[in-house]
Amino acid sequence: MTTLKAKLQEDLTTAIRARDELASSTLRLTLSAITKEEVAGKEARVLSDEEVLKVIAKEAKKRREAAEAFAQGGRDEQAARETAEGEFLDAYLPKQLSDDELAAIVAQAVEEAKAAGAEGPRAMGAVMKIVNPKVAGLAEGGRVAAAVKQQLS
């Protein structure tokens, strides 16, 4: 049974041998973030594949945000680098839900919340509690919240 962390380490070795600087530096940073997460807290632990996916998603989001900031600052070369790193990390993440798929899941959750008696903008929390477990890892929180707001208004 190969874990996701082991796959990342194998890919790092392959990238180093192929002298792929982008892949090796991105994987090194990601593996260090995973290790940091493993030793955080009172006791060291080994992350599950699901937890490793969360760390990878967080790292990919950091890259997208940094690329945006560099682009706004006129530093196109760094923005391109951050974008490339983010796209590289996206390959390890599960395929994201399309807007239509997300809207369908949110619509179903809104109906469930209405059946439970929550309506209007105040139902946001109730709907998010229903939606989040269904879309965990498949859609970013900002996208989910925007879809919920749109359906509730």
Side-chain angles (χ1 to χ4, degrees):
M1 183 175 108
T2 306
T3 64
L4 185 55
K5 183 178 176 187
K7 179 171 175 17
L8 289 170
Q9 290 169 329
E10 290 169 16
D11 291 351
L12 174 60
T13 304
T14 304
I16 291 171
R17 287 190 179 135
R19 300 199 188 293
D20 184 346
E21 198 275 328
L22 175 78
S24 61
S25 68
T26 304
L27 287 169
R28 277 189 178 117
L29 287 169
T30 304
L31 284 166
S32 71
I34 291 168
T35 303
K36 182 180 175 185
E37 190 67 31
E38 287 177 333
V39 298
K42 294 184 179 187
E43 213 172 289
R45 61 194 173 93
V46 176
L47 297 181
S48 68
D49 278 356
E50 199 173 280
E51 292 169 315
V52 171
L53 274 176
K54 286 181 184 176
V55 173
I56 293 172
K58 189 166 43 171
E59 290 296 308
K61 184 178 179 186
K62 280 184 195 175
R63 300 306 190 285
R64 284 191 295 277
E65 290 172 352
E68 209 174 278
F70 281 133
Q72 288 176 352
R75 300 177 71 183
D76 296 331
E77 193 173 304
Q78 286 95 340
R81 167 75 184 211
E82 293 291 334
T83 301
E85 288 181 5
E87 289 170 358
F88 179 81
L89 288 174
D90 285 340
Y92 291 96
L93 297 171
K95 183 181 167 290
Q96 296 288 299
L97 291 173
S98 70
D99 290 339
D100 294 337
E101 292 168 326
L102 181 60
I105 292 171
V106 170
Q108 180 185 4
V110 168
E111 291 305 315
E112 288 179 36
K114 282 183 180 175
E119 285 194 45
R122 290 192 201 135
M124 178 87 175
V127 174
M128 289 297 285
K129 282 181 185 174
I130 297 168
V131 172
N132 277 337
K134 295 179 183 178
V135 299
L138 301 175
E140 283 186 359
R143 276 185 63 210
V144 175
V148 170
K149 278 183 188 174
Q150 181 183 8
Q151 297 238 357
L152 287 175
S153 57

